[in-house]
């Protein structure tokens, strides 16, 4: 989840065609000589999403607001158990795509221990261990911190940001929440003998490999390419495709790149996010869960057997992610007691709770029935 994404003005690639503003991506036909992986399906449709109400904001017994969005819940075999809204439309996963990007780097030869591999898939808070971890990744090269090309920013976590400012620091590439991913991209490029300069160019071999990995794990072609807030290429897929990708990561054998990324995230959730962050707490609460958030109200999560979900909140409200996620996990059979702290968020009045955010009744009924 990228704080600098607020200032992102995308340059898009319309249906992967060539236009004056297009960002190049590898559009050559995908072939799998071993015959074991299916060709990616067609790209999801690019159009206005047909979102539906997902979360109500209740204050003093009245519905004060409603957050619309889309969600999809998948069985272990990939079949849809539940969908609400428009989970097959093209959208940007934002930082929820980071586990997939991390898999691509491991496939390319990246070798890091669990803690640093978790940081590769992180939107970190900017704690000292996060900054030290990014430096440790670069030290494997060794690679100069000056080669990082993510956008300078303050730490994402509020306490970390306040401490950073009190110490007299300004925006920094290392403090920006995607620095672990960018450090790992640089290290992977060096390991493969690829240029370090221009590692964020969509035509760079590293980004081409990431695009191919996105298509492989989501099972669909990339619909559009733009630039994420941190400066890296961002690939449009569908919420269903994103859920499918994390399912494949979560259920993968331990000795595969996917399995290594899943294990690192499970073992080090505070490196994926930060101490006290909801995604880290959720992974601690639910055994075996792999989860990642993304800016603009995106959440994806998957259980070890491949059951998975993806959520997109239409207005980008971060506060609405978790009630829908908790409801979807309950539908997948997770003990509601483990999810209690995530199922509702308090609405305050005068500093005390006077209401809550909760998944809407329609969504709850669908969850209870399993109806598509």
């Amino acid at each position: 989840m990228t704080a600098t994404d607020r200032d992102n003005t995308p340059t898009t690639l319309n249906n992967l065609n060539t236009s004056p503003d297009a960002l190049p991506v590898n559009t050559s036909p995908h072939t799998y000589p071993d015959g074991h992986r299916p060709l990616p399906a067609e790209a999801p449709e690019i159009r206005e999403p047909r979102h539906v109400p997902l979360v109500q904001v209740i204050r003093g017994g009245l519905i004060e607001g409603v957050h619309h969005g889309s969600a999809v819940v998948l069985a272990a075999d990939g079949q849809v158990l539940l969908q609400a809204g428009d989970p097959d439309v093209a959208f940007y996963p934002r930082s929820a795509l980071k586990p997939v990007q991390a898999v691509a780097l491991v496939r390319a030869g990246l070798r890091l221990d669990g803690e640093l591999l978790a940081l590769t898939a992180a939107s970190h808070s900017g704690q000292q261990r996060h900054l030290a971890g990014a430096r440790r990744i670069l030290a494997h090269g060794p690679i100069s911190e000056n080669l990082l090309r993510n956008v300078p920013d303050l730490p994402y976590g509020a306490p970390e940001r306040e401490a950073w400012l009190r110490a007299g620091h300004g925006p920094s590439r290392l403090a920006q929440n995607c620095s672990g991913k960018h450090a790992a991209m640089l290290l992977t490029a060096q390991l493969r003998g690829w240029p370090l300069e221009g590692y964020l160019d969509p035509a760079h071999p590293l980004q081409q490999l990431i695009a191919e990995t996105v298509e492989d794990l989501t099972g669909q072609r990339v619909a559009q390419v733009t630039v994420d807030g941190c400066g890296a290429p961002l690939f449009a897929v569908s919420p269903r495709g994103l859920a499918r990708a994390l399912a494949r990561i979560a259920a993968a054998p331990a000795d595969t790149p996917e399995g290594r990324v899943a294990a690192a995230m499970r073992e080090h959730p505070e490196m994926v996010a930060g101490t006290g962050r909801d995604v880290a707490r959720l992974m601690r609460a639910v055994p075996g869960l792999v989860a990642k958030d993304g800016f603009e109200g995106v959440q994806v999560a998957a259980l070890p057997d491949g059951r998975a979900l993806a959520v997109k909140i239409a207005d980008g409200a971060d506060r609405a992610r978790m009630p829908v996620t908790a409801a979807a996990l309950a539908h997948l059979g997770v003990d509601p007691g483990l999810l209690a702290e995530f199922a509702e968020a308090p609405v305050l009045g005068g500093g005390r709770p006077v209401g809550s955010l909760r998944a809407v009744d329609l969504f709850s009924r669908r969850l209870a029935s399993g109806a598509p």
Side-chain angles (χ1 to χ4, degrees):
M1 183 163 46
T2 307
T4 52
D5 288 354
R6 297 180 181 89
D7 301 321
N8 180 39
T9 302
T11 302
T12 59
L13 183 64
N14 296 321
N15 294 319
L16 300 181
N17 62 9
T18 55
S19 68
D21 296 325
L23 299 179
V25 67
N26 183 0
T27 58
S28 59
H30 285 235
T31 58
Y32 299 119
D34 60 8
H36 295 302
R37 287 180 291 173
L39 292 173
E42 292 300 314
E45 186 178 355
I46 299 174
R47 54 173 168 74
E48 183 177 355
R50 296 186 286 267
H51 294 306
V52 298
L54 288 184
V55 176
Q56 293 176 340
V57 184
I58 311 295
R59 181 184 294 272
L62 296 179
I63 299 175
E64 183 177 37
V66 177
H67 293 289
H68 290 65
S70 295
V72 63
V73 181
L74 302 181
D77 63 359
Q79 296 299 308
V80 175
L81 294 176
L82 160 75
Q83 63 181 42
D86 202 359
D88 289 312
V89 71
F91 90 128
Y92 292 124
R94 306 302 294 266
S95 287
L97 194 64
K98 283 178 178 174
V100 180
Q101 292 169 311
V103 168
L105 302 185
V106 176
R107 287 182 176 184
L110 181 68
R111 294 292 181 266
L112 293 172
D113 62 34
E115 187 176 73
L116 297 186
L117 186 54
L119 188 63
T120 297
S123 299
H124 65 70
S125 293
Q127 296 174 256
Q128 284 302 312
R129 60 176 166 178
H130 299 143
L131 276 59
R135 291 191 181 100
R136 285 166 57 199
I137 293 172
L138 292 171
H140 278 271
I143 298 169
S144 171
E145 190 178 318
N146 294 330
L147 290 174
L148 288 169
R149 288 295 175 265
N150 55 316
V151 176
D153 199 1
L154 300 174
Y156 181 79
E160 292 80 11
R161 183 166 56 251
E162 292 170 4
W164 186 263
L165 290 171
R166 284 197 302 270
H169 301 308
S172 160
R173 297 187 195 275
L174 200 69
Q176 196 266 341
N177 71 85
C178 303
S179 62
K181 177 182 77 174
H182 282 256
M185 284 181 174
L186 281 169
L187 180 57
T188 304
Q190 185 187 75
L191 291 170
R192 292 296 297 264
W194 294 332
L196 302 189
E197 292 291 341
Y199 74 94
L200 296 182
D201 187 331
H204 191 283
L206 179 71
Q207 300 302 334
Q208 292 284 295
L209 176 62
I210 290 174
E212 292 172 1
T213 304
V214 169
E215 293 190 338
D216 177 30
L217 292 180
T218 63
Q220 58 191 194
R221 302 299 297 268
V222 168
Q224 191 149 289
V225 183
T226 186
V227 182
D228 212 336
C230 66
L234 177 62
F235 308 101
V237 293
S238 71
R240 188 200 299 231
L242 179 65
R244 184 186 300 118
L246 198 68
R248 291 176 176 173
I249 292 170
D255 59 351
T256 63
E258 294 87 339
R260 290 184 58 205
V261 170
M265 295 178 69
R266 289 181 181 120
E267 292 168 13
H268 305 280
E270 287 79 17
M271 292 299 284
V272 176
T275 303
R277 293 263 298 277
D278 59 11
V279 172
R281 290 187 287 110
L282 184 65
M283 283 194 279
R284 289 289 185 197
V286 180
L289 188 73
V290 177
K292 185 69 186 75
D293 54 343
F295 201 69
E296 295 294 339
V298 180
Q299 182 69 57
V300 64
L303 293 161
D305 63 357
R307 290 172 290 160
L309 65 97
V311 174
K312 164 62 182 172
I313 303 300
D315 62 1
D318 188 62
R319 67 180 184 172
R321 289 181 295 108
M322 207 48 74
V324 184
T325 300
L329 285 171
H331 176 68
L332 286 174
V334 175
D335 181 355
L338 302 177
L339 302 169
E341 66 173 298
F342 309 101
E344 295 189 11
V347 171
L348 302 180
R352 62 183 179 84
V354 295
S356 64
L357 276 82
R358 63 188 71 159
V360 300
D361 289 343
L362 173 63
F363 191 68
S364 298
R365 284 200 298 271
R366 285 186 168 188
L367 284 172
S369 67

